[in-house]
Amino acid sequence: MAMKAKKINKMLDEAIPLRHPLKLNEAMRYSLLAGGKRVRPILCIASCELVGGDESLAMPIACAIEMIHTASLIHDDLPCMDNDDLRRGKPTNHKVFGESTAVLAGDAFLSFAFEHIACNTNNVSPDRLVRIFAELSSVIGSKGLVAGQFVDIESEGKAVSLKELEYIHVHKTAKLLEACVVCGVIIGGGNDNDIEKVRIYARFIGLLFQVVDDILDVTKSSVELGKTAGKDLVSNKATYPKVMGIDEAKNFAYHLMNQVVQQLACFDTAKAAPLYHLAYCIANRQN
């Protein structure tokens, strides 16, 4: 993971140079290069390699997905959304550059991500690229991230069922993880059966990621997390510990991990090893 993350960081650094308008590009670089585990782009590359593809094929898409993820974080932290002051141990984008710049930096990432794929992807058939663009555009909009964020905000202070909570986190978290693995398999030359297997795998790790995130929010400090701890409790947000209780939330995480393992059973064990490892990292992370 460290080796892949180093390569991804190098490509991201090169993708957004300091140019006019300087403040906008500084804001974009501030959030894009702020650190993080690079789980999403690594998932994309690992999925490409799972079906016999090469890392170089997946790298432009992997970087584009990290740009989309960064845009979602910038927007989520805004005062009109989750109103957060801390992200990855640093002040949030709008705290440093102002709200208007933060909004525009996020918007710029959403369009530039597609440009980056189109301009840097080689030796891939047009039909595969069209499928990738369709997958990513669906994830970003009212069928994906936007839907999840909207329902999350609308649910603040309300009693939310487990089904409604799952809807929020499937759309807000799991959908983008699905796009990572699906796009990786598409670019690597996988078939429709491969795509559906990794899609279900990603759906489970997306829910797993959120369950663990919710548990950490009530069990860790802001210093340990690199973001504001206890924020969901203060905002009266729907979380798994709130709906299920913390012990049941931990049991649910264990159940999801078992489901993840089952989805990968049909693939070559050696090629699937990174995807197993990423799932275990998500399940056992401490920040």
Side-chain angles (χ1 to χ4, degrees), residues 19 33 66 83 87 122 129 140 158 166 168 173 176 186 189 212 218 229-230 240 247 253 255-256 281:
R19 57 192 168 200
L33 305 177
E66 188 65 12
N83 191 24
R87 173 69 67 176
N122 300 308
L129 275 178
I140 293 169
K158 298 177 182 176
E166 184 172 312
I168 290 169
T173 304
L176 187 55
I186 291 171
V212 172
V218 295
Y240 282 98
D247 289 337
H255 166 74
L256 289 168
C281 283

Side-chain angles (χ1 to χ4, degrees), residues 140-244:
I140 293 169
S142 59
K143 296 178 182 177
L145 288 173
V146 170
Q149 178 69 354
F150 177 82
V151 177
D152 189 23
I153 291 170
E154 287 289 295
S155 300
E156 287 183 11
K158 298 177 182 176
V160 174
S161 69
L162 191 58
K163 184 177 180 181
E164 290 167 325
L165 184 60
E166 184 172 312
Y167 177 91
I168 290 169
H169 295 310
V170 162
H171 289 76
K172 191 175 177 180
T173 304
K175 284 283 187 180
L176 187 55
L177 292 170
E178 283 182 40
C180 297
V181 296
V182 168
C183 290
V185 168
I186 291 171
I187 204 80
N191 59 40
D192 287 344
N193 185 57
D194 295 332
I195 289 169
E196 287 313 303
K197 284 288 185 184
V198 297
R199 188 185 293 280
I200 297 169
Y201 158 85
R203 180 69 60 91
F204 285 129
I205 65 167
L207 288 174
L208 178 63
F209 187 97
Q210 193 59 55
V211 174
V212 172
D213 203 60
D214 287 354
I215 292 169
L216 292 175
D217 187 67
V218 295
T219 59
K220 297 289 182 179
S221 68
S222 297
V223 172
E224 290 171 308
L225 294 178
K227 60 182 181 179
T228 308
K231 189 75 170 48
D232 294 339
L233 190 64
V234 172
S235 302
N236 202 15
K237 276 186 174 291
T239 67
Y240 282 98
K242 181 180 177 182
V243 174
M244 306 173 74

Side-chain angles (χ1 to χ4, degrees), residues 238-281:
T239 67
Y240 282 98
K242 181 180 177 182
V243 174
M244 306 173 74
I246 193 139
D247 289 337
E248 277 304 307
K250 289 178 178 179
N251 289 336
F252 185 44
Y254 179 78
H255 166 74
L256 289 168
M257 189 65 218
N258 287 336
Q259 295 296 319
V260 164
V261 171
Q262 289 181 29
Q263 293 307 313
L264 295 176
C266 64
F267 293 105
D268 176 85
T269 304
K271 289 183 177 179
L275 293 176
Y276 282 113
H277 177 71
L278 281 161
Y280 280 112
C281 283

